[in-house]
Amino acid sequence: MKALNLYGARDIRFEDTKNPVIENDNEIIVKVKVAGICGSDGHRYAQLGPYIEGMTWGHEFSGVVEEIGNNVKNVKVGDRVAVCPALYCGECESCKKREFARCEKLKVIGAKDPGAFAEYVKVPSENALLIPDEVSFEAASMVEPSCVSLHGLYKTGLEPGDDVAVIGCGTIGLLAIQWAKVFGAKRIIALDIDDKKLELAKQLGATDIINSMGVEPCEELEKITNGRRADVVVESAGSPITSAQAFSLAKKGGKVVFLGIPYGDVMVKRFYFEKIVRNELQVFGSWNAISSPFPGKEWTTTIEFMRQGKIKTEPLVTHKLPLSEGSNMFEKVAERKEYIGKVLFYPEEN
C-alpha cells in the first residue's frame, strides 16, 4: 500500500509500505477514507521529527472496516467507522482505575505504531465506533479533535449561562466554541491574532471576538463584559504567551483548562501568575480524548451531536488533497505563508 512515512524533521515521504496484518483476534483493519492533519503533526514535522524513523504517520481518520479478527463482535466488514487512535496499556495504576487518559504508557497510532496516513491501518476493535449515515467520512475524521475539546470542557463543569473565553481559534478552539454553545454558555469570547480565524469563530458561535495582537487581552475582555471576567477559560492556542495570559481572563474562583501544547518554555509574569493565587483559580490540564468506558462518552456524544448537525466541521476545512500530495502540504504548513485550516487527505485518490 501507499503511505506517508516520517523520517525526520521536514522529511516525509510518500512511498510503498507493507500492508497491516491482523495478529490478534481482537484487531481490525480499516480502509482509510479520510485522514486529517493534527496541529501536533505540524509541530512534529517542522521541529521534532518522528519517534521512530520511517513511521507511518497520522491519527485523525475515518474509514470502512476491511477485515476483522476472530473475536471481534462490535463491528463487521463494511461498517463505516470513526476510530479512536489512543492505545492504553491496561496494566498501570491509572488503567486499573479506568483513567485511560492518564495511562503511564499511553500511545497514539502514528507515533510508535503505524498510523492512518495510509490506505489501511490496524487498530483494536474497541477503538472503532459506528457512524450514522448523517455523518460524513470528512466529519468522522474530525471526531477525535472534537473529543479533545469536549474532554477538557467536561473537566470544568461548564454550566448554562456561564461566560467562556476561548484562546486560539484553530481546530480545537473552534470546536470548543461550538461545544460551549451546546453547553448553553451565555457569552463566548474568542481570542486570536488572525482575523480570518476570528471571523470563522463568530460564524460558529462566538458572541464576541478579540484580536489580541499588541493588546492586553484581559483589558479587552473587560470592555466587552463591563468588567466581568470569564467563568471558564479554554487555552487552545498552545503558545507560551497565551498560556500565561489565560490566568488573567478568569474571574475570581474561575476555571482555566489547558488544551494547547506549548512547544517552548512558558515564562509567566507575576501579573498573570498571581491571578492563580489571588483569585483562587481552578486550573485543569487536559490530555487526549478518552475516558471510561473506553473510548468514552466524548466519542459517543460527539458522533450524536454531529448527527444532529450541532457540531459542524466543514467550515474548518480549507484543503482536501490526495495523500500523494502530503509532502508538499506539510511543507506549506511548516512555512506558514498562507492561511491553512484543517487539511484532509484522501488515500483512495492516489
Side-chain angles (χ1 to χ4, degrees):
M1 68 175 183
K2 293 290 187 179
L4 278 180
N5 298 329
L6 186 65
Y7 283 83
R10 310 291 274 259
D11 184 4
I12 191 169
R13 307 173 194 176
F14 180 68
E15 58 188 5
D16 289 319
T17 306
K18 290 183 179 180
N19 282 50
V21 176
I22 287 180
E23 301 172 293
N24 182 302
D25 286 341
N26 293 314
E27 292 176 334
I28 63 172
I29 292 175
V30 176
K31 182 178 180 63
V32 180
K33 289 288 188 178
V34 181
I37 294 181
C38 172
S40 65
D41 293 337
H43 287 289
R44 188 155 293 281
Y45 171 79
Q47 302 175 33
L48 304 175
Y51 288 98
I52 299 174
E53 184 178 351
M55 177 57 62
T56 299
W57 216 18
H59 62 269
E60 296 181 6
F61 73 106
S62 63
V64 174
V65 177
E66 180 82 4
E67 185 180 348
I68 64 174
N70 292 331
N71 289 342
V72 173
K73 306 296 182 185
N74 62 314
V75 295
K76 63 182 185 301
V77 172
D79 281 344
R80 303 170 72 248
V81 292
V83 182
C84 173
L87 305 172
Y88 63 93
C89 74
E91 299 175 355
C92 68
E93 181 179 350
S94 294
C95 283
K96 289 177 180 178
K97 292 192 292 185
R98 313 294 286 176
E99 296 172 347
F100 298 119
R102 302 174 186 177
C103 170
E104 296 290 341
K105 300 179 181 179
L106 187 67
K107 298 187 294 181
V108 174
I109 63 168
K112 299 180 181 179
D113 301 85
F117 289 156
E119 294 181 82
Y120 299 95
V121 64
K122 179 175 69 173
V123 295
S125 63
E126 68 174 341
N127 290 54
L129 295 96
L130 297 174
I131 54 174
D133 292 340
E134 297 92 334
V135 177
S136 67
F137 284 118
E138 286 82 2
S141 73
M142 296 173 67
V143 170
E144 193 270 352
S146 173
C147 293
V148 169
S149 295
L150 187 53
H151 183 74
L153 285 179
Y154 276 145
K155 292 178 180 295
T156 68
L158 175 62
E159 297 181 352
D162 280 350
D163 287 346
V164 180
V166 178
I167 307 172
C169 296
T171 296
I172 301 299
L174 292 171
L175 288 164
I177 286 167
Q178 294 183 67
W179 279 119
K181 184 177 179 181
V182 169
F183 275 62
K186 179 182 178 181
R187 192 189 296 270
I188 304 170
I189 305 106
L191 299 93
D192 204 289
I193 58 173
D194 188 322
D195 286 333
K196 288 183 180 179
K197 292 182 178 180
L198 288 169
E199 181 56 36
L200 186 52
K202 200 150 192 178
Q203 293 175 24
L204 292 171
T207 57
D208 304 275
I209 56 175
I210 296 172
N211 188 317
S212 55
M213 177 67 77
V215 300
E216 183 56 64
C218 63
E219 293 177 1
E220 298 302 309
L221 182 141
E222 288 184 340
K223 292 177 184 177
I224 292 171
T225 61
N226 295 318
R228 189 180 189 279
R229 298 189 184 184
D231 299 281
V232 175
V233 178
V234 179
E235 203 299 309
S236 56
S239 82
I241 294 173
T242 57
S243 295
Q245 290 174 336
F247 301 122
S248 67
L249 297 176
K251 71 174 188 179
K252 288 183 179 290
K255 302 169 183 178
V256 181
V257 60
F258 285 88
L259 303 182
I261 305 173
Y263 287 87
D265 293 339
V266 178
M267 308 303 290
V268 184
K269 294 180 181 179
R270 177 187 173 187
F271 173 75
Y272 298 129
F273 187 82
E274 70 175 0
K275 305 300 182 188
I276 304 172
V277 178
R278 291 181 181 275
N279 291 346
E280 295 195 334
L281 301 183
Q282 298 181 61
V283 181
F284 301 89
S286 182
W287 184 240
N288 214 285
I290 53 177
S291 60
S292 177
F294 185 86
K297 63 181 180 179
E298 297 89 340
W299 291 79
T300 52
T301 301
T302 285
I303 291 171
E304 173 58 20
F305 277 79
M306 283 184 174
R307 185 192 69 78
Q308 295 180 23
K310 294 180 179 179
I311 296 297
K312 304 181 190 308
T313 57
E314 187 62 28
L316 282 62
V317 179
T318 57
H319 296 73
K320 296 182 178 181
L321 306 165
L323 192 62
S324 57
E325 295 187 29
S327 299
N328 292 332
M329 190 67 239
F330 267 104
E331 192 58 26
K332 289 181 180 180
V333 171
E335 289 175 351
R336 297 187 176 185
K337 292 181 179 179
E338 61 182 282
Y339 172 65
I340 298 175
K342 176 58 70 174
V343 177
L344 301 181
F345 291 128
Y346 294 75
E348 289 181 310
E349 294 183 6
N350 298 304

